[in-house]
Amino acid sequence: MLKTLKTITGLNHPCLFPFRPLSSHTLTDSHLKSLVLSQYSNGTFSNLLQNVVALPSVLLTACQNLSNSPHSSTTTTTALLTSVSNHFSIYQMGHEISQNKFDVSSCCVKMDPPGPSGESLILPNLKLKVLIEAIRMVLEIVYDEKFVTFSYGGRVGMGRHTAIRYLKNNVTNPSWWFNVSFCSSKFDEFNVDKLCLFIGEKIKDAMLIDVIKKLFECDVVRVEFGGCYLGRGLPQESALCSILINVYFDGFDREIQEMRLRMNKKTFKFELTEPDLNNSTIFYKPVKLYAVRYLEEILVITSGSKMLVRELKDHVLDFLEQNLGLKVDRVKTAIHSAVSEKIMFLGMELQAVPPSVLHRPMSEKAIRARKKYDRQKEVKALELRNARERNRKKLGLKILSHVFKKLKQSNNGFRYEYQIESEVRDIFRTWADEVVVEFMGSLEERWNWHRLLSRGDFLSLRHVRDQLPQDLVDAYDKFQEQVDKHLAPTKARMALEEEEKRVREEEEQKYSERTVEDLTKLCMKVSAPIELVRKAVRMVGFTNNMGRPRPISVPFALEDADIVKWYAGVGRRWLDFFCCCHNFRMVKTIVSYHLRFSCILTLAHKHESTKLEAIKHYSKDLKFSDMNGYEEIYFPTERDVKMMGDKNLSDPKPVDGALSLALIRLASDESSHSCIAHFCGRIDTTMYRVRLLQNHLNLNPLDEARWVKGMGAINETLNKKCLPLCPDHINDLYMGKITLQDIDCTSFVEVD
């Protein structure tokens, strides 16, 4: 690696690959990485802002990431450059950045709250978002490979599902655990200075650090702990926050790593004698320490004693308070038993259970159903075999009758133009081989024929054998040898009994191993908080107090297809978020039943019809026909929901993104506006008014008794603001493919 870095820094040109960094072309990941590594020297990076971030090609790549457009196409790049030029000049922007003349404060838009007690919302415009994305791209290349393995969130291939997969597959025999709870606070000047100090250890670039400080000073980049806002895809958040949090906690991660190494060295090791090795009743469980950090959420697990985990907790909290200057809630940071208590982490419930809970053995009812199914398969196979024999017999008789008929009609035989003797011979040989294989596989038939051919064995008598010719006696003995060799079922029966014995012993061995594992091993069970999901469904109005689907009146102003998309966005987010949980089947039921029929009832109530009429018109799959007559399905079908499982390892979208707000379509004669999605030049837009969930329900998100714990709340400044969106981006926003981070909320339109 060092040799490669020396080779890069020794070149006159700052990259190994043939590309033009000053041209208006987007960069691939390898090109961008090579460009960043060219600024590496003596263990640090330098001049990243001037020589990397300020390049037009890097800024254009950042624009491409924000616009979610496909990669590497000349037409696409040209169209993207044209679209970017309609908003600002990347060449002028790059010149301002390189000359340290880029004014961050002028690119911030302040939105005043509707009431005097509210908090102002500071949002970056599109130009500043491009700079933030370019900085994020550079910092990702600098730091991503430097972070420890148990650091998740904001990293490529290290999302929420990957952290859960690690807990399920690697954590064994946990005894005590705790998750760190922070007090509600945001980064102050002390935290920002310490963050910049950490960045300065790796990056010697004062201009870049000053830009990061300015972003925090303008409140356009915020890091909040102890709240329900971080990582929820809300407009006041930035993609840069994730990597900055990982940089800030990197020292803490290193300390946890050192603690794990010290604990492994101190683990008591003893020598086992030969009799002890053969004794399967001796089990050795070394003390282990596990840690998982997803952004600001920290979970520490140990298999040691409670005294050990108490000392570990005190050391962790002291490090966070003294070295990082964070405010920790020591009351809520409590130690829990991994076996008897559940703990919430990453929005899911964790508990240590025996392996039999995760992989339950078949019940008596399931065993009876399996045996019934096997019997049905045997009967079906017997019917097919009988039908095959019957067809062979009919076909063979037809061939023989045809041959005899031709022989009777001709004295000198008969001839065909085509010789088919070989084909007929092959057919009969194939039938004969199949019949022999089936016959040899049946012990009953072999035993029956052996008895028929062996009974009345008068030639075995000595006085009879002496009176017969020797050739006849030898032929009979050879025949009996062949009968005993091929038809005697003794060896086959012994082999069958041995196979049954082997299967029975394997089942007993598996049962004993499963019993021992249940007594000596604990695994991680990850469950979705069903009660919280049901509370969210009930709070929004999808179900009544009895838990039955009901219509809601919020989306009545939308078209029918948009109503289904809104429901589909909620359902698909939940299915994607909780797909790795043990009780995923219950989440499927909530989506496939409660949300589906609530959508059907909403459509029926909107058109003043009955539920059956709505089902007859839209079907249970909620199908819609487009302008060309093609059917489109937005809501996941019942079959799709049934087939879903733990297959997605990417970082899922926030589960409450579609619940936090509702977009109501306005029918107005306003002049056309361009779509406010990033670099979208379409003007065939429609006005959508934002209605926040907390204002519609008249609830306080800080009231945990009435609000759902973990749901994000959008700043009320956006309430009743109007967003012009084109059909494509409103569809992506409904379906969860984009969030409010992917649209320019600073360009909203005021409509009375």
Side-chain angles (χ1 to χ4, degrees):
M1 181 65 184
L2 294 177
K3 183 178 179 180
T4 305
L5 293 177
K6 290 179 180 179
T7 304
I8 293 175
T9 54
L11 296 176
N12 294 328
H13 299 283
C15 61
L16 292 175
F17 301 95
F19 71 97
R20 294 174 294 174
L22 297 178
S23 63
S24 56
H25 291 278
T26 57
L27 304 179
T28 61
D29 295 339
S30 59
H31 288 162
L32 182 60
K33 184 175 181 179
S34 177
L35 185 61
V36 174
L37 292 179
S38 66
Q39 306 301 319
Y40 183 84
S41 177
N42 298 326
T44 59
F45 293 85
S46 60
N47 298 326
L48 290 177
L49 189 69
Q50 289 181 323
N51 298 337
V52 180
V53 177
L55 295 180
S57 56
V58 177
L59 296 176
L60 190 62
T61 305
C63 296
Q64 186 182 51
N65 293 343
L66 293 177
S67 61
N68 297 317
S69 60
H71 292 280
S72 65
S73 175
T74 305
T75 306
T76 303
T77 303
T78 304
L80 177 63
L81 182 60
T82 304
S83 179
V84 173
S85 301
N86 295 332
H87 296 82
F88 57 87
S89 174
I90 59 173
Y91 301 101
Q92 182 180 358
M93 178 180 175
H95 179 72
E96 293 176 356
I97 295 173
S98 61
Q99 298 297 324
N100 198 16
K101 296 180 180 179
F102 188 86
D103 190 1
V104 176
S105 58
S106 63
C107 297
C108 301
V109 178
K110 180 179 180 181
M111 296 185 177
D112 297 327
S117 60
E119 182 181 1
S120 300
L121 181 63
I122 308 297
L123 296 177
N125 62 5
L126 192 55
K127 188 176 182 180
L128 183 56
K129 279 188 176 183
V130 173
L131 175 60
I132 294 175
E133 176 63 18
I135 296 176
R136 185 203 65 80
M137 291 161 44
V138 173
L139 293 181
E140 182 181 44
I141 296 175
V142 173
Y143 285 102
D144 190 66
E145 296 181 358
K146 179 178 179 292
F147 297 136
V148 298
T149 56
F150 57 84
S151 171
Y152 298 88
R155 302 177 61 187
V156 179
M158 301 286 284
R160 191 183 302 265
H161 284 168
T162 312
I164 296 298
R165 180 65 64 88
Y166 168 77
L167 290 174
K168 293 195 299 184
N169 295 342
N170 297 90
V171 177
T172 57
N173 299 320
S175 56
W176 303 95
W177 54 23
F178 65 91
N179 55 352
V180 180
S181 178
F182 294 97
C183 298
S184 181
S185 62
K186 73 173 185 177
F187 261 30
D188 54 12
E189 185 177 355
F190 172 79
N191 301 121
V192 175
D193 292 340
K194 186 170 285 293
L195 172 64
C196 295
L197 181 63
F198 294 154
I199 296 176
E201 296 176 356
K202 191 69 176 178
I203 302 175
K204 302 299 182 180
D205 191 348
M207 294 175 58
L208 178 61
I209 295 177
D210 290 340
V211 171
I212 295 176
K213 282 186 177 181
K214 192 63 176 179
L215 293 175
F216 279 99
E217 291 175 1
C218 296
D219 209 17
V220 72
V221 171
R222 344 175 21 175
V223 176
E224 298 185 8
F225 289 161
C228 56
Y229 308 104
L230 190 62
R232 316 302 289 185
L234 305 182
Q236 63 267 34
E237 296 176 3
S238 171
L240 183 62
C241 296
S242 300
I243 192 169
L244 292 180
I245 291 175
N246 290 332
V247 173
Y248 195 79
F249 278 96
D250 185 62
F252 170 78
D253 297 339
R254 299 291 175 181
E255 180 66 19
I256 295 294
Q257 188 78 354
E258 292 295 329
M259 293 174 61
R260 294 177 62 179
L261 295 177
R262 290 196 299 266
M263 184 172 293
N264 291 335
K265 291 181 180 180
K266 292 181 180 179
T267 299
F268 177 72
K269 298 182 180 180
F270 55 90
E271 297 293 337
L272 294 177
T273 61
E274 187 67 24
D276 294 333
L277 291 174
N278 298 328
N279 189 0
S280 61
T281 60
I282 296 180
F283 302 98
Y284 173 56
K285 297 181 180 180
V287 178
K288 292 186 177 181
L289 173 63
Y290 304 95
V292 175
R293 183 182 63 81
Y294 183 87
L295 297 181
E296 89 288 2
E297 299 186 54
I298 303 172
L299 176 66
V300 181
I301 309 172
T302 181
S303 59
S305 62
K306 191 173 184 179
M307 184 65 66
L308 174 64
V309 73
R310 186 177 299 171
E311 297 176 357
L312 182 63
K313 188 194 77 169
D314 294 339
H315 182 73
V316 167
L317 299 186
D318 291 341
F319 188 92
L320 292 174
E321 291 178 342
Q322 299 175 6
N323 294 62
L324 299 183
L326 301 176
K327 300 178 181 179
V328 181
D329 191 343
R330 291 182 174 266
V331 177
K332 293 184 178 180
T333 307
I335 299 174
H336 298 273
S337 172
V339 179
S340 58
E341 298 177 86
K342 295 181 180 179
I343 192 170
M344 290 292 298
F345 183 66
L346 300 182
M348 304 175 192
E349 296 177 350
L350 306 181
Q351 188 177 10
V353 296
S356 60
V357 176
L358 298 178
H359 309 285
R360 293 183 178 273
M362 295 181 64
S363 61
E364 294 295 334
K365 183 178 180 180
I367 293 175
R368 290 195 301 270
R370 170 61 64 180
K371 290 182 178 179
K372 181 179 179 181
Y373 176 70
D374 293 338
R375 287 195 299 269
Q376 291 176 352
K377 287 178 61 178
E378 293 177 359
V379 172
K380 187 68 174 177
L382 181 60
E383 292 177 354
L384 292 176
R385 185 174 61 191
N386 294 336
R388 185 166 57 250
E389 293 178 356
R390 184 173 61 253
N391 295 334
R392 288 174 182 172
K393 182 179 179 180
K394 291 181 179 180
L395 184 57
L397 291 175
K398 287 182 179 180
I399 294 175
L400 291 176
S401 63
H402 181 72
V403 171
F404 283 119
K405 182 179 178 181
K406 291 295 184 180
L407 288 174
K408 289 180 181 180
Q409 293 177 356
S410 177
N411 296 328
N412 298 326
F414 62 94
R415 293 183 179 180
Y416 284 109
E417 295 181 0
Y418 303 98
Q419 300 296 326
I420 63 172
E421 291 86 353
S422 59
E423 287 80 358
V424 175
R425 188 179 295 108
D426 293 340
I427 292 174
F428 278 97
R429 184 183 295 110
T430 303
W431 290 353
D433 294 341
E434 292 179 358
V435 170
V436 171
V437 171
E438 293 179 0
F439 173 77
M440 299 300 291
S442 176
L443 293 179
E444 290 77 9
E445 293 186 5
R446 292 170 62 182
W447 179 265
N448 187 25
W449 278 96
H450 184 272
R451 185 176 64 254
L452 293 175
L453 295 174
S454 301
R455 68 183 180 179
D457 188 6
F458 61 92
L459 291 180
S460 61
L461 300 177
R462 175 64 61 182
H463 64 279
V464 176
R465 295 171 61 92
D466 294 341
Q467 300 177 10
L468 295 176
Q470 188 63 32
D471 295 340
L472 178 60
V473 174
D474 294 341
Y476 176 76
D477 292 340
K478 292 180 180 180
F479 174 73
Q480 288 298 326
E481 290 178 2
Q482 295 297 323
V483 169
D484 294 336
K485 178 181 179 181
H486 296 287
L487 297 181
T490 304
K491 295 183 179 180
R493 189 176 297 278
M494 292 177 59
L496 181 61
E497 292 176 354
E498 292 179 358
E499 181 66 20
E500 293 178 353
K501 182 179 179 181
R502 186 186 62 81
V503 172
R504 184 170 61 255
E505 290 178 352
E506 288 182 356
E507 292 180 354
E508 294 176 355
Q509 181 69 19
K510 290 180 181 179
Y511 177 78
S512 62
E513 292 177 357
R514 186 166 61 246
T515 304
V516 172
E517 284 185 352
D518 286 346
L519 296 175
T520 60
K521 184 179 179 181
L522 292 175
C523 300
M524 190 69 66
K525 177 185 177 183
V526 181
S527 303
I530 295 298
E531 295 300 326
L532 293 180
V533 175
R534 289 173 178 169
K535 182 179 179 181
V537 170
R538 185 171 58 253
M539 183 184 68
V540 178
F542 295 144
T543 60
N544 54 20
N545 294 330
M546 300 296 293
R548 297 176 180 175
R550 62 175 297 272
I552 55 178
S553 59
V554 176
F556 278 2
L558 298 175
E559 294 184 354
D560 295 349
D562 291 338
I563 294 176
V564 176
K565 292 175 186 177
W566 185 64
Y567 274 93
V570 178
R572 290 185 182 275
R573 281 183 173 93
W574 283 347
L575 292 173
D576 183 38
F577 192 87
F578 295 114
C579 69
C580 58
C581 296
H582 181 68
N583 58 347
F584 185 45
R585 181 175 57 85
M586 303 181 71
V587 180
K588 291 181 181 180
T589 302
I590 293 176
V591 174
S592 186
Y593 172 66
H594 294 89
L595 265 66
R596 184 187 306 277
F597 280 93
S598 176
C599 181
I600 292 174
L601 291 174
T602 300
L603 293 172
H605 190 62
K606 174 184 176 182
H607 296 287
E608 298 180 355
S609 61
T610 62
K611 180 180 70 173
L612 295 179
E613 292 176 349
I615 294 176
K616 184 178 180 181
H617 182 74
Y618 300 105
S619 76
K620 282 189 178 181
D621 294 334
L622 297 171
K623 299 179 180 179
F624 283 88
S625 299
D626 58 6
M627 300 297 295
N628 298 325
Y630 297 104
E631 288 187 347
E632 296 182 357
I633 300 178
Y634 305 105
F635 200 94
T637 63
E638 294 179 346
R639 179 179 177 82
D640 293 340
V641 174
K642 184 181 296 185
M643 298 300 293
M644 289 181 180
D646 186 5
K647 298 179 181 179
N648 186 10
L649 292 181
S650 62
D651 203 5
K653 295 288 185 180
V655 298
D656 60 350
L659 288 177
S660 300
L661 58 88
L663 300 179
I664 307 302
R665 183 173 181 175
L666 298 181
S668 60
D669 296 332
E670 295 291 328
S671 58
S672 60
H673 298 273
S674 60
C675 180
I676 63 172
H678 294 162
F679 305 111
C680 179
R682 297 181 59 174
I683 59 175
D684 54 335
T685 58
T686 305
M687 289 294 176
Y688 290 89
R689 171 161 290 183
V690 179
R691 296 192 65 180
L692 303 184
L693 175 65
Q694 60 266 25
N695 291 350
H696 174 71
L697 300 176
N698 195 20
L699 296 176
N700 183 12
L702 299 179
D703 187 4
E704 295 184 359
R706 302 185 63 187
W707 192 256
V708 177
K709 181 181 179 181
M711 282 186 59
I714 298 180
N715 194 297
E716 62 178 2
T717 302
L718 293 179
N719 189 34
K720 295 184 179 180
K721 296 298 189 295
C722 294
L723 305 176
L725 291 169
C726 65
D728 292 338
H729 286 102
I730 187 59
N731 179 66
D732 293 340
L733 188 59
Y734 277 132
M735 299 298 293
K737 298 179 181 178
I738 62 174
T739 63
L740 289 181
Q741 290 183 356
D742 302 315
I743 61 177
D744 189 6
C745 294
T746 61
S747 302
F748 67 87
V749 179
E750 294 285 354
V751 177
D752 297 331

